[in-house]
Amino acid sequence: MNDTAKQTFFPLVKYTDPAKAIEWLEKAFAIEPHEITKDDEGRIVHAELRYATGILMITQQDEATTGGLYVAVDDPDAHHARAKAAGAEITMELVDQPYGSREYGARDLEGNIWYFGTYRP
């Protein structure tokens, strides 16, 4: 098993120009592209960058937050139900993603965005 298969928390940073950010992060911090997903127009919609055993996720800026956290969970349905029962603001309802993950998003008490799902880079 590789090191990322054991990880649970993955930081998520949003940029208005993900391609430029990836180029800069590699040049400045030696953080290397691992996987990049583009839409039909060639825009980066999701990227994973690697540094040593860590993975950083990058996506297009699409709301007022500049980042968040992705947390790998075994049972996103139960996790979603628990969050909803606790009064969490659900920002993205449970969805089966084309890359095989089942996930949802929620905002915490201070406005930070958290994503929970089965995906493990």
Side-chain angles (χ1 to χ4, degrees), residues 21-118:
I22 291 167
E23 181 181 324
W24 188 86
L25 290 166
E26 185 173 14
K27 182 178 178 181
F29 303 138
I31 299 173
E32 299 177 350
H34 173 66
E35 184 176 316
I36 296 176
T37 304
K38 297 181 179 182
D39 64 13
D40 293 337
E41 286 81 43
R43 293 176 301 218
I44 295 173
V45 294
H46 178 81
E48 295 169 11
L49 286 73
R50 180 183 292 279
Y51 183 82
T53 60
I55 293 283
L56 169 68
M57 294 182 178
I58 289 179
T59 188
Q60 177 73 39
Q61 176 75 19
D62 62 354
E63 53 186 74
T65 63
T66 57
L69 191 62
Y70 183 90
V71 183
V73 297
D74 292 329
D75 186 349
D77 291 84
H79 199 278
H80 175 266
R82 178 186 178 131
K84 213 169 189 176
E89 177 189 346
I90 304 301
T91 60
M92 181 180 80
E93 287 295 335
L94 276 165
V95 62
D96 292 321
Q97 299 288 7
Y99 47 86
S101 181
R102 181 158 175 78
E103 55 198 37
Y104 78 97
R107 188 179 318 273
D108 70 16
L109 296 175
E110 295 289 330
N112 300 297
I113 301 294
W114 294 68
Y115 297 94
F116 300 91
T118 56

